[in-house]
Amino acid sequence: ATIDRRATALSTSPITRAQYQRFLDACPEQSAPEGWAPPRGEEAALPVVQVSWTDATAYCEWGGGRLPTNNELNRASGWERFWMAPAPAGENSRDQADRWDRPPPSLEQAWCAENSEGRLHPVASREANRYGFTDLRGGVWEWAFEGDDPTGIGRGSTLQNGGSFRTPLAELGGEWSWR
């Protein structure tokens, strides 16, 4: 399988503080994340954090795109969900929401509890996956929209996906929070 990044309009990596600052400069009506200061030096390459779903949506619209759906994000990161296949005996589709059919990414592909030293790292400083995307699992949580979920679970919901630099490797991608 291949992913056409132009068709999905997904960034190949999380948005950096420098990219988000350009958005803030161009949109003075937009409020900055809590505790924000214009990035300097090496901070510019760090992923932007503390961005609400509404602010992430505004950033995407400013750039001519939209937030990905959870399904698009999972495909781009190389993970498909168990609920896309029939449920095993004794499980329903809701039980499957936290189960994955692929192993977690390697330590070479993700910042997680085992290798992050408890801090953020520059965007795209880990190996890209087979589709050319970096940091979609670990590092920072990713906002997504569940608007085209074919199962109807969470239709219209927003969610955070992927885990963070504090998440254990074995749990990356397998945990997310409904918002």
Side-chain angles (χ1 to χ4, degrees), residues 117-131:
E117 300 173 348
R119 63 182 177 86
L120 291 171
H121 291 268
V123 165
S125 57
R126 305 309 289 164
E127 290 179 6
N129 70 14
R130 63 186 173 167
Y131 300 124

Side-chain angles (χ1 to χ4, degrees), residues 12 24 33 50 70 79 99-100 109 118 121 143 148 152 160 162 166 171:
T12 57
L24 292 174
Q50 303 296 330
N70 193 48
W79 294 33
R99 297 200 45 216
W100 303 88
Q109 290 182 324
H121 291 268
W143 279 115
D148 73 351
Q160 289 181 312
R166 293 184 177 110
E171 296 177 16

Side-chain angles (χ1 to χ4, degrees), residues 6-178:
R6 292 169 302 186
T8 59
L10 284 172
S11 172
T12 57
S13 61
I15 304 307
T16 66
R17 290 177 52 88
Q19 291 170 307
Y20 201 77
Q21 184 62 53
R22 285 193 289 277
F23 162 63
L24 292 174
D25 292 344
C27 303
E29 72 283 357
Q30 183 68 38
S31 59
E34 184 176 330
W36 182 265
R40 294 191 172 128
E42 294 179 6
E43 288 179 0
L46 294 177
V48 64
V49 295
Q50 303 296 330
V51 174
S52 71
W53 184 86
T54 303
D55 293 340
T57 299
Y59 176 88
C60 291
E61 290 172 356
W62 169 76
R66 62 169 172 77
L67 285 174
T69 67
N70 193 48
N71 294 344
E72 290 168 333
L73 196 57
N74 286 332
R75 287 185 187 103
S77 63
W79 294 33
E80 285 76 25
R81 299 185 70 182
F82 257 108
W83 53 257
M84 292 178 164
E91 288 189 12
N92 63 41
S93 60
R94 193 70 176 171
D95 293 333
Q96 295 179 47
D98 290 329
R99 297 200 45 216
W100 303 88
D101 66 353
R102 297 198 185 271
S106 69
L107 289 172
E108 289 76 31
Q109 290 182 324
W111 289 115
C112 57
E114 289 84 350
N115 66 359
S116 70
E117 300 173 348
R119 63 182 177 86
L120 291 171
H121 291 268
V123 165
S125 57
R126 305 309 289 164
E127 290 179 6
N129 70 14
R130 63 186 173 167
Y131 300 124
F133 293 95
T134 61
D135 304 334
L136 291 182
R137 298 290 178 216
V140 295
W141 287 96
E142 305 287 337
W143 279 115
F145 179 69
E146 198 61 9
D148 73 351
D149 180 355
T151 68
I153 296 173
R155 189 167 303 280
S157 297
T158 59
L159 46 100
Q160 289 181 312
N161 196 332
S164 78
F165 64 92
R166 293 184 177 110
T167 306
L169 180 67
E171 296 177 16
L172 289 180
E175 66 178 325
W176 35 275
S177 304
W178 295 95

